Amino acid sequence: MDSAADGAIGAPLQEALASRERVLRAFLDADGRLVQIPAKRAKRLVVLDLLARVFEPGERYPELEVNALLRAFHDDVAALRRYLVDEGFLDRADGVYWRTGGSVDL
């Protein structure tokens, strides 16, 4: 992420990740599907961070594949795509998406 994006979501994301497990328990069912998309931004950032991990850094994904991957979590894939792009987790051009943010396992 660039420094502007870091400033925009950096602090809220870090705060939200501190309570990550509690947020995920509240919004995911036993099968790992979203019960609902969180309305509060801090909680939504935790969920978006989880969703971003589905996308491999450096890979490009056509919109149909993005939809299929996101549908495993929630049927409103358009809202999830929009949130992921708006919050800097994914970027998009010409119907192709790639990961631009979120946490990674090292």
Side-chain angles (χ1 to χ4, degrees):
M1 272 186 289
D2 63 23
S3 59
D6 287 342
I9 70 167
L13 178 58
Q14 291 307 315
E15 290 173 24
L17 288 175
S19 60
R20 181 178 196 273
E21 293 307 315
R22 184 173 39 90
V23 170
L24 293 178
R25 277 194 310 273
F27 288 95
L28 297 176
D29 67 15
D31 295 324
R33 284 187 54 85
L34 281 170
V35 177
Q36 67 182 29
I37 299 171
K40 292 190 176 185
R41 183 174 184 241
K43 292 177 180 179
R44 193 170 52 244
L45 289 172
V46 171
V47 169
L48 294 174
D49 183 67
L50 174 74
L51 299 180
R53 290 169 164 247
V54 172
F55 301 94
E56 291 294 324
E59 294 289 321
R60 303 282 173 156
Y61 298 88
E63 189 168 299
L64 287 175
E65 188 174 353
V66 172
N67 290 346
L69 290 166
L70 293 177
R71 193 165 284 111
F73 293 95
H74 196 274
D75 290 334
D76 191 351
V77 295
L80 294 177
R81 277 195 333 263
R82 185 172 46 253
Y83 283 131
L84 285 164
V85 170
D86 288 351
E87 294 291 0
F89 290 93
L90 295 180
D91 208 346
R92 152 179 212 262
D94 301 320
V96 176
Y97 293 76
W98 59 94
R99 185 171 170 183
T100 55
S103 58
V104 293
D105 292 326
L106 298 176

